């Protein structure tokens, strides 16, 4: 089975871990990039994940094929530090993630899972405090319904492409993907966004009008960190 090795540096992952997805979204906007993976909902409130994408693609089991079909066996090959991105084309008729996969993933050091499809065993996963994001929730097994198509292939969520090694960042706001070759620039800009917003918040707490504080610190383009006039 093909494996992929995370390429984004540990230093960039660490810096991204300190960021809110809202700041990262603003940074992506500043570069004309669309990174929002629409329709993916956090299933474990308060959890967040950051890491390089390890992509997994499913396909339906052919009706003409008889016998038992396990949904997929790929998890043993996922490198520690990865975020698993499962693509079942937003199909919520059956699940692609559950409690057993969660326990294996945690043992292997996987950082979280994004399912472009459905997941189950949500109470168990919440008890494990494992970062899980999915389009839907169902109790219906993927066994005999879907099977592994590929790992390490780019997937598309809505209109956004996720490639192996791209940086996933997800929290209660949702899920973003940062292209691997843009990660350093996006993270640097997102850090600037957060510093700019902190300055505005501090100024407002000191009694300055919000519109004045926004103008003073460059709220329109917070990634530029405009200096006070």
């Amino acid at each position: 089975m093909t494996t992929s090795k995370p390429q984004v540096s540990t230093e960039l992952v660490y810096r991204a871990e300190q960021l809110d997805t809202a700041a990262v979204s603003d940074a992506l906007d500043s570069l004309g990039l669309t990174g929002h993976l629409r329709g993916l909902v956090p299933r474990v409130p308060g959890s967040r994940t950051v890491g390089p994408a390890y992509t997994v693609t499913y396909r339906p089991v052919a009706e003409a094929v008889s016998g038992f079909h396990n949904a997929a066996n790929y998890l043993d090959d996922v490198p520690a530090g990865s975020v698993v991105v499962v693509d079942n084309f937003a199909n919520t008729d059956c699940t692609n993630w559950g409690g057993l996969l969660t326990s294996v993933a945690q043992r292997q050091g996987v950082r979280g899972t994004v399912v472009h499809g459905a997941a189950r065993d949500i109470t168990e996963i919440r008890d494990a405090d494992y970062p899980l994001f999915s389009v839907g929730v169902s109790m219906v097994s993927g066994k005999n319904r879907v099977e592994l198509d590929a790992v390490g292939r780019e997937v598309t969520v809505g209109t956004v492409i996720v490639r192996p090694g791209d940086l996933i960042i997800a929290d209660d706001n949702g899920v973003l993907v940062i292209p691997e070759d843009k990660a350093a620039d996006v993270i640097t800009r997102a850090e600037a966004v957060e510093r700019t917003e902190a300055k505005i918040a501090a100024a407002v707490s000191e009694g300055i009008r919000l519109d004045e504080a926004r103008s003073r610190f460059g709220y329109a383009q917070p990634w530029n960190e405009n200096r006070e006039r």
Side-chain angles (χ1 to χ4, degrees), residues 9 106 133 149:
S9 71
Q106 285 187 313
F133 303 80
D149 188 16

Side-chain angles (χ1 to χ4, degrees), residues 96-113:
N96 310 111
W97 193 267
L100 178 59
L101 292 180
T102 294
S103 63
V104 174
Q106 285 187 313
R107 189 166 60 247
Q108 291 191 192
V110 174
R111 288 177 169 262
T113 300

Side-chain angles (χ1 to χ4, degrees), residues 22-47:
V24 176
S25 179
D26 288 355
L28 288 164
D29 284 347
S30 76
L31 294 167
L33 299 173
T34 302
H36 180 207
L37 304 187
R38 295 184 179 181
L40 288 156
V41 177
R43 301 300 172 185
V44 181
S47 69

Side-chain angles (χ1 to χ4, degrees), residues 1 28 37 41 53 58 66 69 75 95 98 100 113-114 136 140 149 158 196 214 228:
M1 182 176 290
L28 288 164
L37 304 187
V41 177
Y58 280 84
S66 61
H69 291 272
L75 195 53
T95 59
L100 178 59
T113 300
V114 173
V140 179
D149 188 16
T196 297
R214 283 177 166 174
E228 184 176 356

Side-chain angles (χ1 to χ4, degrees), residues 33-199:
L33 299 173
T34 302
H36 180 207
L37 304 187
R38 295 184 179 181
L40 288 156
V41 177
R43 301 300 172 185
V44 181
S47 69
R48 53 179 283 113
T49 186
V50 176
Y54 183 98
T55 59
V56 179
T57 307
Y58 280 84
R59 66 188 175 206
V61 172
E63 291 184 10
V65 177
S66 61
F68 179 81
H69 291 272
N70 194 21
N73 283 311
Y74 62 86
L75 195 53
D76 295 314
D77 298 315
V78 179
S82 301
V83 174
V84 176
V85 179
V86 176
D87 186 23
N88 194 27
F89 306 96
N91 179 8
T92 58
D93 291 340
C94 65
T95 59
N96 310 111
W97 193 267
L100 178 59
L101 292 180
T102 294
S103 63
V104 174
Q106 285 187 313
R107 189 166 60 247
Q108 291 191 192
V110 174
R111 288 177 169 262
T113 300
V114 173
V115 183
H116 191 215
R120 68 178 183 176
D121 302 327
I122 301 303
T123 299
E124 182 179 342
I125 294 169
R126 285 177 179 164
D127 289 344
D129 196 27
Y130 181 79
L132 172 67
F133 303 80
S134 71
V135 171
V137 172
S138 174
M139 77 296 293
V140 179
S141 173
K143 292 187 287 291
N144 295 320
R145 295 181 175 90
V146 291
E147 62 187 357
L148 182 66
D149 188 16
V151 297
R153 186 171 71 192
E154 70 177 38
V155 302
T156 302
V157 178
T159 60
V160 179
I161 294 174
V162 181
R163 298 177 177 86
D166 285 350
L167 190 62
I168 300 294
I169 176 169
D171 59 19
D172 281 335
N173 295 316
V175 183
L176 291 171
V177 60
I178 306 172
E180 181 182 346
D181 62 347
K182 302 292 185 183
D185 196 3
V186 170
I187 290 168
T188 297
R189 288 172 179 242
E191 291 168 337
V193 169
E194 291 202 342
R195 287 192 294 267
T196 297
E197 294 193 347
K199 292 174 186 176

